[in-house]
Amino acid sequence: MNAEIRQFLFDSLTAMKYSTADMDDDTVLGPAGADLESLAMAELALRVEDHFGVRFNEDEAERFAAMTVGEFCAEVAGRARIATAT
């Protein structure tokens, strides 16, 4: 599932006009890497919520900005497993 989430993440970022050419699982999403701003993180979270049926709290954006692509994909995969189990 992580590969599907990663592809969706990269497709979403491309649609949002972010370059994913140099991104990999170790790229930090926030200013230290991909340089996603808070509004971009919020938009990405909404896209992921809609597509994978997961939910994020409003105060999680700062935590997501510190995550790498791989960590974010793992977080989404974990939440998706929980969402489908209930």
Side-chain angles (χ1 to χ4, degrees), residues 21-42:
D22 295 328
M23 286 182 151
D24 60 23
D25 279 349
D26 296 324
T27 303
V28 175
L29 291 172
D35 202 23
L36 293 177
E37 298 171 355
S38 60
L39 286 176
M41 283 301 305

Side-chain angles (χ1 to χ4, degrees), residues 22-23 33 39 42 50 52 64 66 76:
D22 295 328
M23 286 182 151
L39 286 176
D50 289 344
F52 293 102
F64 293 153
V76 172

Side-chain angles (χ1 to χ4, degrees), residues 32-85:
D35 202 23
L36 293 177
E37 298 171 355
S38 60
L39 286 176
M41 283 301 305
E43 180 178 345
L44 182 61
L46 286 173
R47 287 173 181 246
V48 169
E49 284 180 338
D50 289 344
H51 189 81
F52 293 102
V54 298
R55 292 290 167 244
F56 301 117
N57 296 326
E58 291 179 27
D59 59 345
E60 290 184 290
E62 187 174 314
R63 187 170 71 87
F64 293 153
M67 288 182 167
T68 64
V69 169
E71 291 167 340
F72 184 76
C73 290
E75 177 77 19
V76 172
R79 290 181 187 215
R81 278 191 294 276
I82 292 168
T84 58

